[in-house]
């Protein structure tokens, strides 16, 4: 009998510990109703930042598209695709230019000394 009472008390304590406190919904509502922060009137002017660059983590490589522009990045990607024998090469404007250029150099170095290389290797 005592074991049963003790077990029921233990289960009741565990269940009551799992319940959400009554004040939790009130703090969530207060946080949702808080006004958005505003810039002070005497704050120095802020510079505009490209959203794609602003969302990148600090130290993350910048995409070739953002680095050298759309036309130049596409030319580099086209060269990469033309010379790369890889099934999934890194020839994509979203990758860093250094990665794309590295794939071009790696692919062009695979040709034997007397073998004719594609024109894209000389560019």
């Amino acid at each position: 009998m005592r074991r049963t009472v003790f077990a029921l008390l233990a289960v009741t304590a565990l269940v009551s510990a799992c319940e959400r406190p009554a004040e939790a919904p009130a703090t969530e509502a207060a946080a949702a109703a808080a006004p958005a922060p505003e810039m002070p009137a005497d704050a120095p002017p802020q510079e505009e930042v490209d959203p794609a660059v602003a969302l990148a983590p600090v130290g993350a490589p910048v995409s070739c598209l953002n680095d050298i522009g759309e036309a130049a990045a596409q030319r580099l990607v086209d060269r990469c695709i033309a010379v790369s024998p890889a099934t999934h090469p890194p020839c994509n404007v979203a990758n860093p230019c250094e990665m794309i250029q590295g794939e071009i150099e790696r692919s062009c170095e695979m040709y034997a000394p007397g073998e004719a290389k594609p024109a894209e290797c000389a560019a």
Side-chain angles (χ1 to χ4, degrees):
M1 175 79 173
R2 288 183 185 172
R3 288 183 187 172
T4 307
V5 171
F6 180 71
L8 287 174
L9 288 174
V11 170
T12 305
L14 289 173
V15 170
S16 65
C18 293
E19 291 180 11
R20 179 179 257 184
E23 61 204 40
T27 56
E28 290 173 5
E38 291 186 26
M39 185 68 77
D42 60 344
Q46 304 295 309
E47 63 184 68
E48 294 295 322
V49 178
D50 182 13
V53 176
L55 296 177
V58 175
V62 177
S63 72
C64 195
L65 180 65
N66 289 340
D67 194 20
I68 62 174
E70 185 176 355
Q74 191 58 51
R75 284 193 302 271
L76 192 62
V77 166
D78 291 341
R79 281 183 56 215
C80 181
I81 292 170
V83 300
S84 179
T87 55
H88 298 290
C91 307
N92 188 321
V93 294
N95 290 331
C97 293
E98 295 81 21
M99 181 185 293
I100 300 169
Q101 186 62 43
E103 177 65 15
I104 293 170
E105 292 168 4
R106 182 190 73 80
S107 301
C108 291
E109 289 173 357
M110 293 174 68
Y111 288 92
E115 197 173 1
K117 295 181 180 179
E120 287 81 2
C121 287

